[in-house]
Amino acid sequence: MDRRSFIKHASIGGLGAAAASALAAPAIAQTNPKVTWRLTSSFPKSLDTIYGGAEVLSKYVSEATDGNFQIQVFAAGEIVPGLQAADAAAAGTVEACHTVVYYYWGKDPTWALGAAVPFALNARGMNAWHYHGGGIDLFNEFLGTQGLVGYPGGNTGVQMGGWFRKEIKTVADMKGLKMRVGGFAGKVMERLGVVPQQLAGGDIYPALEKGTIDAAEWVGPYDDEKLGFYKVAPYYYYPGWWEGGPTVHAMFNKAAFDGLPKAYQSLLRTACQATDANMLQKYDYLNPSAIKRLVAAGAKLSPFSPEILSACFDESNKVYAEMEASNAPFKKIWESIKAFRAEYFLNAQIAEYNYDTFMMIQQRNGKI
């Protein structure tokens, strides 16, 4: 081989090897550092839907970075108790948490507005407000004062009204009722005579069984079935008017988030939105079969009476008025939700409501 031919072939071979090497590693792996975060969940591993949201988020981030960005997920109690997840992330004990922000209502009622409050929006409405109505930015303005950055990372859809040891037909039946219900809903129900109780998920069943409490709300058919409430409190009421579309949040320590490369920040936002959609889709798929199993096992399905719903609605509005008068951050966010709520339900009653209603009638008539 002459010198010119040798140089030509050697150059092609060298460039080919270099190109192959460059193509073997994703671009993001070449330009971004290895990062390992810890995330604490507010939920037990047994709840594969809501706890699983954090695992889905971790998976998406790892796959998108070829393993460079790892988020290790810990269940409630493994690092801190479930209701201290946001505190741990804000303090830097962990970099991230996966929780429902109304758990922190006691610190400031404004927390609850990022998740769900009585008679607000359903899941689709909450997502519309968060992603296109400025909700994410408004809530992050508040979270920034807490040392956090947050994005929607799941939704259960409208929840059930809970499990009761006896029938509840009127407002009078609620007086003296000891019920596991927290946050805003507890404050409203308290005005109607209910005695709100704060209990972790794992403590609800024994409390119902022993009669320490008379009723408890949790999530919905699929998760409620796992906890076995129907065995000790057979009356299953709906809807959970305090949680029309509860958003689950992924929240990050603000300093840790701000210190990430811009590509990683963008990826987290995208992965959170994908996780948000995935959780709601999973609940929508699993709940129909779960509700049939619960009824077959003895659960007695009943709607809250119009009297109860109306009384709760009126009391909720009184609480809102008090909050708006005394809490400027609450007022700012709630006014945004209220404005969109008026438009949302105006539109929702047209095509969606009528289509769904017609199809439900066909199902009840045995045609589908």
Side-chain angles (χ1 to χ4, degrees):
M1 183 182 295
D2 61 29
R3 180 174 177 273
R4 181 176 296 177
S5 177
F6 173 80
I7 292 173
K8 177 181 178 183
H9 285 83
S11 298
I12 293 172
L15 287 171
S21 176
L23 290 171
I28 194 168
Q30 299 174 51
T31 59
N32 289 289
K34 288 188 177 295
V35 173
T36 300
W37 275 9
R38 297 193 305 168
L39 179 152
T40 185
S41 172
S42 282
F43 314 107
K45 291 181 180 179
S46 59
L47 298 178
D48 59 300
T49 42
I50 198 162
Y51 169 81
E55 293 184 318
V56 169
L57 174 64
S58 173
K59 177 176 178 285
Y60 289 163
V61 169
S62 177
E63 289 179 349
T65 61
D66 198 34
N68 273 6
F69 191 174
Q70 295 287 335
I71 300 176
Q72 299 172 340
V73 179
F74 295 87
E78 290 184 341
I79 297 179
V80 296
L83 299 184
Q84 295 177 22
D87 300 320
T93 304
V94 294
E95 291 82 9
C97 66
H98 192 238
T99 186
V100 186
V101 292
Y102 54 50
Y103 290 156
Y104 313 99
W105 153 277
K107 296 173 179 291
D108 184 326
T110 309
W111 279 94
L113 293 172
V117 290
F119 300 104
L121 295 160
N122 62 17
R124 282 182 62 173
M126 279 299 288
N127 278 329
W129 175 73
H130 272 303
Y131 293 110
H132 298 284
I136 289 175
D137 291 339
L138 279 171
F139 194 56
N140 267 322
E141 183 180 318
F142 168 74
L143 287 181
T145 68
Q146 312 296 313
L148 293 163
V149 174
Y151 296 97
N155 203 302
T156 67
V158 61
Q159 295 193 358
M160 294 293 282
W163 298 88
F164 293 73
R165 288 163 56 90
K166 66 175 185 177
E167 287 188 273
I168 305 296
K169 296 181 178 180
T170 67
V171 172
D173 292 334
M174 299 176 71
K175 295 189 184 304
L177 196 76
K178 296 187 295 295
M179 182 175 181
R180 186 272 181 193
V181 59
F184 207 137
K187 188 172 182 67
V188 172
M189 287 188 171
E190 193 171 29
R191 294 178 175 225
L192 298 175
V194 173
V195 183
Q197 309 285 313
Q198 285 277 20
L199 290 174
D203 298 329
I204 298 173
Y205 184 93
L208 281 170
E209 186 177 35
K210 295 173 184 175
T212 307
I213 59 174
D214 305 302
E217 58 85 27
W218 184 239
V219 178
Y222 182 73
D223 286 348
D224 290 5
E225 181 187 27
K226 285 178 173 289
L227 296 181
F229 299 141
Y230 62 93
K231 299 174 185 176
V232 289
Y235 297 98
Y236 200 20
Y237 282 88
Y238 60 88
W241 45 265
W242 51 91
E243 296 187 71
T247 298
V248 183
H249 268 79
M251 293 192 294
F252 313 108
N253 177 275
K254 191 173 189 310
F257 182 85
D258 290 345
L260 287 174
K262 294 297 183 185
Y264 279 8
Q265 293 179 5
S266 177
L267 174 60
L268 277 177
R269 290 191 291 268
T270 302
C272 283
Q273 189 167 5
T275 301
D276 186 23
N278 182 75
M279 185 185 293
L280 183 59
Q281 292 156 5
K282 190 172 183 180
Y283 273 114
D284 282 346
Y285 184 76
L286 294 172
N287 277 332
S289 54
I291 195 66
K292 289 193 290 186
R293 290 192 300 269
L294 285 169
V295 171
K300 304 178 189 301
L301 278 176
S302 297
F304 284 125
S305 68
E307 177 194 342
I308 289 175
L309 288 176
S310 294
C312 292
F313 181 81
D314 291 342
E315 289 301 323
S316 296
N317 285 335
K318 292 175 186 177
V319 175
Y320 285 132
E322 293 170 7
M323 296 296 176
E324 289 181 282
S326 61
N327 188 319
F330 184 96
K331 177 181 173 66
K332 182 176 182 179
I333 298 176
W334 177 233
E335 285 184 341
S336 174
I337 294 174
K338 278 197 301 183
F340 178 61
R341 182 181 62 171
E343 297 299 316
Y344 179 75
F345 285 109
L346 176 66
N347 177 68
Q349 67 185 291
I350 304 172
E352 294 281 354
Y353 175 81
N354 283 282
Y355 175 76
D356 289 350
T357 301
F358 176 81
M359 294 302 291
M360 289 169 192
I361 291 170
Q362 305 317 302
Q363 193 274 335
R364 290 185 180 185
N365 289 339
K367 294 185 177 181
I368 59 174

